[in-house]
Amino acid sequence: MRRFEEILDIAAERKGGRDAVLAGIPTPKSPDEIAAIPDDRWLAGMARGIFQAGISWTVVENKWPEIEEAFRGFDVGALSMMSEDWFDDLVADRRVIRSAPKIAAIRDNAAFLRRLAEEGTPFGRRVADWPEADFAGLLDWLKRDGSRLGGGTAAYLLRSMGKDGYILSQDVVARLVAEGVIDKAPSSRKAMQAVQQAFNALREESGATLTTISRVLAQSIG
């Protein structure tokens, strides 16, 4: 695999210089800042990602204030004990994305968050303390224990909340394929381990965050 500086140079040539490539890349939050995010905001972030899957993100954005209202501010306790009547009302509610499987997933993720809090380590604290060197493991945990948090949903959620990590967009995958790290979009733990090892090597070499590395890889292609 090329060194980070070489990939950055490729991106810079495409985008008009290094400053253009690095402009606007978000700075990850500290572990304590991530841990301080309340569960209702984590659940809201999960819901946003679940609703956005397969439809226009603009539609979800425009409806978001009403979605917040319909879901009672994403109160974890209330949603984790959602009655059948409330569920049916939401499925018929024009304020929200009326998808029974997606609404069920939000209810199930509320129960997931509540269970973690009752075990003594809230979701935000677990995310905050999860090592960046095993970001693939964090994505795997969310896919396995959460509901409809596979694919890019969890990665985009974590990025939006300030957790340092990578997003395996089409362009990032294309760069990893070009560098011989993987041969297609990763769908197995073995392939994800190879992706993680590549990011870890680039981070150790450059000192850059995983977020920065991810954005640079994407801009070297897209």
Side-chain angles (χ1 to χ4, degrees):
M1 186 173 185
R2 290 180 176 88
R3 293 174 57 83
F4 177 76
E5 290 292 317
E6 294 176 285
I7 299 173
L8 178 55
D9 283 340
I10 294 171
E13 184 174 354
R14 297 188 70 259
K15 299 297 183 180
R18 289 193 173 197
D19 288 344
V21 172
L22 299 175
I25 296 179
T27 300
K29 293 179 179 177
S30 70
D32 285 344
E33 288 175 319
I34 292 171
I37 299 172
D39 280 352
D40 66 322
R41 293 304 89 199
W42 284 109
L43 185 58
M46 292 175 184
R48 187 186 289 269
I50 289 167
F51 279 140
Q52 288 174 336
I55 68 171
S56 167
W57 289 22
T58 302
V59 170
V60 177
E61 184 64 30
N62 290 339
K63 294 175 73 71
W64 192 254
E66 292 185 319
I67 291 173
E68 282 268 3
E69 182 181 30
F71 280 85
R72 303 180 189 176
F74 292 98
D75 180 281
V76 169
L79 285 168
S80 68
M81 298 184 291
M82 183 185 295
S83 67
E84 290 185 12
D85 286 344
W86 187 14
F87 179 85
D88 291 341
D89 288 344
L90 285 171
V91 172
D93 195 330
R94 293 184 178 275
R95 294 175 297 174
V96 308
I97 309 300
R98 292 178 291 170
S99 164
K102 291 185 176 184
I103 292 170
I106 295 166
R107 176 200 61 200
D108 293 346
N109 283 327
F112 171 45
L113 293 177
R114 181 180 179 181
R115 183 171 64 253
L116 292 175
E118 290 174 347
E119 290 173 357
T121 307
F123 182 82
R125 184 77 264 173
R126 294 199 183 206
V127 170
D129 292 343
W130 205 290
E132 283 76 15
D134 184 35
F135 189 72
L138 176 55
L139 296 178
D140 184 61
W141 173 59
L142 292 174
K143 178 181 179 180
R144 185 181 65 249
D145 288 14
S147 182
R148 298 177 78 98
L149 296 179
T153 302
Y156 280 104
L157 165 70
L158 296 169
R159 172 72 60 82
S160 72
M161 293 299 196
K163 175 69 174 178
D164 190 25
Y166 45 79
I167 293 175
L168 295 178
S169 65
Q170 183 176 346
D171 291 334
V172 171
V173 169
R175 173 50 60 193
L176 293 172
V177 169
E179 298 301 321
V181 174
I182 49 179
D183 59 6
K184 60 181 180 179
S187 58
S188 67
R189 288 186 177 181
K190 181 178 180 180
M192 285 300 296
Q193 183 179 28
V195 168
Q196 186 69 59
Q197 290 173 344
F199 271 94
N200 289 347
L202 292 171
R203 186 175 68 156
E204 182 176 357
E205 171 210 326
S206 66
T209 64
L210 295 178
T211 302
T212 296
I213 294 168
S214 180
R215 290 283 292 269
V216 169
L217 295 188
Q219 292 181 87
S220 73
I221 294 287

